[in-house]
Short mmCIF file of all heavy atoms in Angstrom, two decimals:
data_model
loop_
_atom_site.label_atom_id
_atom_site.label_comp_id
_atom_site.label_asym_id
_atom_site.label_seq_id
_atom_site.Cartn_x
_atom_site.Cartn_y
_atom_site.Cartn_z
N ASN K 86 -2.92 -15.33 1.21
CA ASN K 86 -3.10 -16.66 1.84
C ASN K 86 -2.26 -16.85 3.11
O ASN K 86 -2.43 -17.84 3.81
CB ASN K 86 -2.85 -17.79 0.82
CG ASN K 86 -1.42 -17.82 0.31
OD1 ASN K 86 -0.58 -17.01 0.72
ND2 ASN K 86 -1.14 -18.74 -0.59
N LYS K 87 -1.37 -15.91 3.41
CA LYS K 87 -0.61 -15.97 4.67
C LYS K 87 -1.06 -14.88 5.64
O LYS K 87 -0.41 -14.65 6.66
CB LYS K 87 0.88 -15.78 4.40
CG LYS K 87 1.48 -16.77 3.42
CD LYS K 87 2.29 -17.82 4.16
CE LYS K 87 2.78 -18.92 3.24
NZ LYS K 87 3.73 -18.43 2.23
N SER K 88 -2.16 -14.21 5.28
CA SER K 88 -2.51 -13.02 6.06
C SER K 88 -3.05 -13.35 7.45
O SER K 88 -2.91 -12.56 8.38
CB SER K 88 -3.51 -12.17 5.29
OG SER K 88 -4.69 -12.91 5.02
N ARG K 89 -3.62 -14.56 7.59
CA ARG K 89 -4.16 -14.92 8.91
C ARG K 89 -3.05 -15.04 9.97
O ARG K 89 -3.08 -14.34 10.98
CB ARG K 89 -4.98 -16.21 8.78
CG ARG K 89 -5.27 -16.93 10.08
CD ARG K 89 -6.57 -16.45 10.71
NE ARG K 89 -6.51 -16.62 12.16
CZ ARG K 89 -7.58 -16.74 12.92
NH1 ARG K 89 -8.77 -16.68 12.41
NH2 ARG K 89 -7.44 -16.87 14.22
N PRO K 90 -2.02 -15.90 9.73
CA PRO K 90 -0.94 -15.94 10.71
C PRO K 90 -0.22 -14.60 10.84
O PRO K 90 0.23 -14.23 11.94
CB PRO K 90 0.02 -17.02 10.20
CG PRO K 90 -0.38 -17.30 8.79
CD PRO K 90 -1.84 -16.93 8.68
N ALA K 91 -0.12 -13.85 9.75
CA ALA K 91 0.56 -12.55 9.83
C ALA K 91 -0.18 -11.61 10.78
O ALA K 91 0.43 -10.93 11.60
CB ALA K 91 0.69 -11.93 8.44
N ALA K 92 -1.51 -11.59 10.66
CA ALA K 92 -2.31 -10.72 11.53
C ALA K 92 -2.12 -11.11 12.99
O ALA K 92 -2.14 -10.28 13.89
CB ALA K 92 -3.79 -10.82 11.15
N GLU K 93 -1.91 -12.38 13.20
CA GLU K 93 -1.80 -12.90 14.56
C GLU K 93 -0.41 -12.63 15.16
O GLU K 93 -0.28 -12.28 16.32
CB GLU K 93 -2.07 -14.41 14.52
CG GLU K 93 -2.44 -14.99 15.83
CD GLU K 93 -3.10 -16.36 15.67
OE1 GLU K 93 -3.33 -16.79 14.51
OE2 GLU K 93 -3.36 -16.99 16.70
N LEU K 94 0.62 -12.80 14.34
CA LEU K 94 1.99 -12.83 14.87
C LEU K 94 2.67 -11.47 14.97
O LEU K 94 3.53 -11.27 15.82
CB LEU K 94 2.87 -13.72 13.98
CG LEU K 94 2.54 -15.21 13.97
CD1 LEU K 94 3.28 -15.91 12.82
CD2 LEU K 94 2.91 -15.86 15.31
N PHE K 95 2.31 -10.55 14.08
CA PHE K 95 3.12 -9.33 13.97
C PHE K 95 2.45 -8.13 14.60
O PHE K 95 1.25 -7.90 14.45
CB PHE K 95 3.45 -9.04 12.51
CG PHE K 95 4.29 -10.12 11.87
CD1 PHE K 95 3.73 -11.08 11.04
CD2 PHE K 95 5.65 -10.19 12.14
CE1 PHE K 95 4.50 -12.09 10.47
CE2 PHE K 95 6.44 -11.19 11.58
CZ PHE K 95 5.87 -12.14 10.75
N GLU K 96 3.29 -7.34 15.23
CA GLU K 96 2.86 -6.09 15.85
C GLU K 96 2.60 -5.02 14.77
O GLU K 96 1.71 -4.19 14.93
CB GLU K 96 4.00 -5.63 16.77
CG GLU K 96 3.79 -4.34 17.48
CD GLU K 96 3.07 -4.53 18.79
OE1 GLU K 96 2.86 -5.69 19.20
OE2 GLU K 96 2.72 -3.51 19.39
N LEU K 97 3.40 -5.08 13.70
CA LEU K 97 3.23 -4.13 12.61
C LEU K 97 3.62 -4.82 11.29
O LEU K 97 4.67 -5.45 11.22
CB LEU K 97 4.12 -2.90 12.84
CG LEU K 97 3.99 -1.73 11.84
CD1 LEU K 97 2.61 -1.08 11.90
CD2 LEU K 97 5.06 -0.67 12.11
N ILE K 98 2.76 -4.66 10.29
CA ILE K 98 3.03 -5.22 8.97
C ILE K 98 3.37 -4.06 8.04
O ILE K 98 2.55 -3.15 7.85
CB ILE K 98 1.79 -6.00 8.46
CG1 ILE K 98 1.55 -7.22 9.35
CG2 ILE K 98 1.95 -6.40 6.99
CD1 ILE K 98 0.21 -7.92 9.12
#
Side-chain angles (χ1 to χ4, degrees):
N86 64 1
K87 303 257 174 64
S88 60
R89 163 89 208 204
E93 200 163 355
L94 293 168
F95 297 101
E96 178 88 7
L97 185 65
I98 294 169

